[in-house]
Amino acid sequence: MAVVVSSSGNAPAFKAKMTVYVFVCVVIAAFGGLIFGYDIGISANVNDFKGGVTAMDDFLKKFFPSVWEKKQHVHENNYCKYDNQFLQLFTSSLYLAALVASFLASAVCSKLGRKPTMQFASIFFLIGVGLTAGAVNIVMLIIGRILLGFGVGFGNQAVPLFLSEIAPAQLRGGLNIVFQLMVTIGIFIANLVNYFTATVHPNGWRIALGGAAIPAVILLFGSLIICETPTSLIERNKNEEGKKALRKIRGVDDINEEYESIVNACEIASQVKDPYRKLLKPASRPPFIIGMLLQLFQQFTGINAIMFYAPVLFQTVGFGSDAALLSAVITGVINVLSTFVGIYLVDRTGRRFLLLQSSVHMLICQLIIGIILAKDLGTTGTLGKPQALVVVIFVCVYVMGFAWSWGPLGWLIPSETFPLETRSAGFAVAVSCNMFFTFVIAQAFLSMLCGMRSGIFFFFSAWIIVMGLFAMFFIPETKGVPIDEMRERVWKPHWFWKRYMLAEDDHQDVEKRT
Ligand code: BGC
């Protein structure tokens, strides 16, 4: 089966078909996203709310006995849940490890290719899963967690880049978002696994942690049949192989134009010896600043905080002991299904429309939730059922908006906007920023909630206004633009960013003259 890709958007694109082979490559690579999502869901960043392994008594008694002890005696209210920074740090060690690993992964990605980087990711995952699921002491557990973090660092570095490079320009957005789709599926599966293994004593937590081995094995063996991206092959002087790979994934004979464009990009890239130094040059500023800010914005939408808080809200509505399951199923399914909306729309309406629409959409949700909680929920009081129901509905509507915008686009835009010479390095900075801000929110959320109470929703609302305005003025449309043509077609014509491009051109002129 091969569907001809029609040229749409604001730029003529190269000839390509949507081939079955590309589809298979996309799905296999995106398993990296599934493992990331599973890791987010399984340990529960905010241990009290989500019932991940860190909320399981067997697990706490074995590895964190003093935490378990204390937890039995604390008095909680609606905003101040038991908060243990040490336990939180254990969960977050994955993000810290991933933060560091993404730089290493970037070097592997450039020197050896996207495919081996994914293979390394799956090996890190497998060892990490073995150590955490089989842990007999805390050292094993933490080393395992760090290795899982390395897996996330390598996977999140290689997979979005891989997807953006093998996708035909007109379908790049949708195919890249398959990564986020798998993240949401991973979170969803992990929440279900958490729920069911919580009642398995004493080793339910081992089953939960061990589950990640399945997608890791799929990624490892699957990565044997996928191809390397033509860009990465040509960048490493394997031009003939690159041409063959390009012909195979595009499903058409006439790939010369795209091939030339890649060769051109590789020539420019080969003159850059230090990509990190190049990142600091004016011409790199647009994708660099946008790539970093997108990560800050993605996390400061408050998504993880809200998703972790959701079970408490569901409980308040009156679902009792089923709250955790119901919340996992309802928010999980909404998260997954709404990501399909993103896949469908991103190459039709474009990236900007989704970012702007969802900023208004998510702002309204946050404000309504904040106002209801501020008005009706005292410090220890409970919400009335109707109010709680409205809150739950708006939590779901909010998750929907995130799932088709800031969630996937936080990964897509940085993976498609850097020129080849800084693509891997620039994306590594973006990945590590994502990990850093995820860490910050995970570490601070419970204390913030306790200190700010319903104000936390207004705090996130303020951020949503900032990011909406930023998107409006500074994030250009990249729909349909070939990945190696961003400079000419996106940055040079942009009302603000063009100044850095012109500065660079002037600089090069002066260099040539002297
Ligand atoms: C974010 C995660 C978040 C997930 C929710 C991802 O894009 O990076 O932090 O938990 O989306 O679906």
Side-chain angles (χ1 to χ4, degrees):
M1 179 202 74
V3 184
V4 180
V5 175
S6 69
S7 179
S8 64
N10 49 9
F14 306 121
K15 289 195 192 90
K17 289 175 184 168
M18 173 63 208
T19 57
V20 173
Y21 185 60
V22 163
F23 183 74
V24 171
C25 289
V26 166
V27 173
I28 289 175
F31 267 87
L34 195 141
I35 310 175
F36 174 46
Y38 191 86
D39 280 328
I40 295 175
I42 210 68
S43 48
N45 293 11
V46 182
N47 52 73
D48 259 304
F49 292 151
K50 219 172 166 191
V53 289
T54 49
M56 294 185 192
D57 285 346
D58 294 324
F59 178 86
L60 283 181
K61 274 192 240 168
K62 188 166 177 67
F63 298 110
F64 301 92
S66 59
V67 173
W68 182 77
E69 204 42 51
K70 260 196 223 149
K71 219 177 148 183
Q72 310 305 309
H73 305 115
V74 286
H75 297 289
E76 299 183 332
N77 65 39
N78 275 310
Y79 292 114
C80 298
K81 296 281 158 188
Y82 176 60
D83 176 13
N84 184 287
Q85 295 285 323
F86 181 54
L87 186 60
Q88 196 53 46
L89 198 61
F90 154 76
T91 306
S92 300
S93 59
L94 183 147
Y95 300 110
L96 293 180
L99 190 160
V100 176
S102 59
F103 290 102
L104 201 62
S106 143
V108 177
C109 231
S110 310
K111 298 272 170 319
L112 304 179
R114 295 23 173 166
K115 183 170 152 167
T117 315
M118 284 187 247
Q119 284 163 337
F120 274 116
S122 54
I123 291 168
F124 283 130
F125 279 129
L126 280 174
I127 305 175
V129 169
L131 286 175
T132 49
V136 290
N137 55 39
I138 187 135
V139 176
M140 244 175 116
L141 191 70
I142 289 186
I143 296 180
R145 189 102 190 123
I146 291 175
L147 282 169
L148 287 178
F150 266 68
V152 168
F154 272 65
N156 286 18
Q157 167 74 19
V159 174
L161 282 187
F162 174 86
L163 297 177
S164 284
E165 284 181 349
I166 63 160
Q170 304 89 329
L171 298 176
R172 190 177 55 238
L175 292 180
N176 183 288
I177 296 182
V178 177
F179 172 75
Q180 172 75 8
L181 178 70
M182 293 296 238
V183 173
T184 61
I185 295 176
I187 296 178
F188 179 50
I189 296 177
N191 286 342
L192 294 185
V193 170
N194 278 336
Y195 184 79
F196 291 108
T197 52
T199 50
V200 178
H201 300 289
N203 287 325
W205 62 271
R206 290 192 196 276
I207 304 174
L209 291 174
I214 301 171
V217 168
I218 297 180
L219 181 64
L220 181 63
F221 288 107
S223 67
L224 299 176
I225 59 167
I226 64 180
C227 64
E228 181 53 271
T229 70
T231 311
S232 172
L233 288 166
I234 298 168
E235 189 184 15
R236 288 174 293 122
N237 298 321
K238 299 182 177 178
N239 288 35
E240 276 316 302
E241 271 181 64
K243 208 172 199 175
K244 248 172 72 189
L246 190 60
R247 202 164 274 136
K248 186 164 179 189
I249 59 176
R250 293 290 175 258
V252 293
D253 280 335
D254 182 11
I255 41 98
N256 283 342
E257 225 183 311
E258 184 168 5
Y259 176 74
E260 288 307 325
S261 150
I262 299 176
V263 169
N264 210 358
C266 291
E267 260 162 32
I268 299 174
S270 68
Q271 287 156 21
V272 173
K273 295 285 165 274
D274 182 350
Y276 289 100
R277 177 179 280 193
K278 177 82 183 169
L279 267 184
L280 300 175
K281 293 269 157 67
S284 302
R285 228 152 271 171
F288 191 47
I289 293 176
I290 291 176
M292 288 195 295
L293 282 180
L294 273 172
Q295 311 312 316
L296 168 78
F297 293 156
Q298 187 201 61
Q299 290 304 314
F300 278 70
T301 55
I303 182 66
N304 284 321
I306 291 220
M307 288 209 312
F308 300 135
Y309 194 46
V312 174
L313 295 168
F314 275 75
Q315 209 159 20
T316 318
V317 183
F319 292 117
S321 56
D322 290 336
L325 180 64
L326 265 173
S327 150
V329 172
I330 296 178
T331 55
V333 168
I334 289 179
N335 199 8
V336 173
L337 293 183
S338 310
T339 309
F340 279 105
V341 177
I343 293 180
Y344 181 77
L345 287 181
V346 71
D347 295 311
R348 291 180 166 81
T349 60
R351 285 70 166 146
R352 278 173 58 78
F353 171 80
L354 291 175
L355 291 174
L356 296 174
Q357 180 282 335
S358 67
S359 298
V360 177
H361 167 150
M362 290 161 76
L363 176 65
I364 294 173
C365 295
Q366 290 271 21
L367 289 176
I368 293 178
I369 297 170
I371 290 169
I372 294 181
L373 291 185
K375 268 184 66 198
D376 294 313
L377 185 65
T379 308
T380 48
T382 47
L383 271 186
K385 268 195 197 174
Q387 288 89 333
L389 195 63
V390 176
V391 171
V392 163
I393 291 174
F394 278 97
V395 165
C396 295
V397 179
Y398 165 89
V399 169
M400 231 180 236
F402 176 88
W404 65 56
S405 61
W406 295 92
L409 297 178
W411 299 105
L412 167 64
I413 295 176
S415 77
E416 67 178 8
T417 45
F418 284 99
L420 184 60
E421 59 271 27
T422 48
R423 188 171 298 152
S424 182
F427 194 65
V429 175
V431 173
S432 55
C433 282
N434 186 286
M435 296 301 143
F436 175 72
F437 293 118
T438 308
F439 166 77
V440 169
I441 293 279
Q443 208 66 30
F445 171 62
L446 280 180
S447 317
M448 279 165 74
L449 185 68
C450 186
M452 296 163 86
R453 299 172 183 263
S454 57
I456 197 164
F457 294 94
F458 300 111
F459 169 80
F460 289 130
S461 303
W463 275 104
I464 293 181
I465 296 176
V466 172
M467 61 190 85
L469 289 174
F470 184 84
M472 180 136 80
F473 294 110
F474 298 106
I475 302 186
E477 186 53 68
T478 44
K479 173 184 86 166
V481 181
I483 191 164
D484 290 310
E485 316 240 325
M486 295 289 164
R487 184 183 157 83
E488 293 303 318
R489 299 196 195 181
V490 171
W491 303 123
K492 278 193 175 173
H494 188 269
W495 74 273
F496 180 78
W497 299 118
K498 70 178 172 201
R499 70 194 64 200
Y500 296 109
M501 299 299 144
L502 297 178
E504 179 86 344
D505 283 350
D506 290 348
H507 180 70
Q508 277 168 358
D509 279 352
V510 173
E511 270 184 358
K512 264 184 213 149
R513 265 182 268 130
T514 49

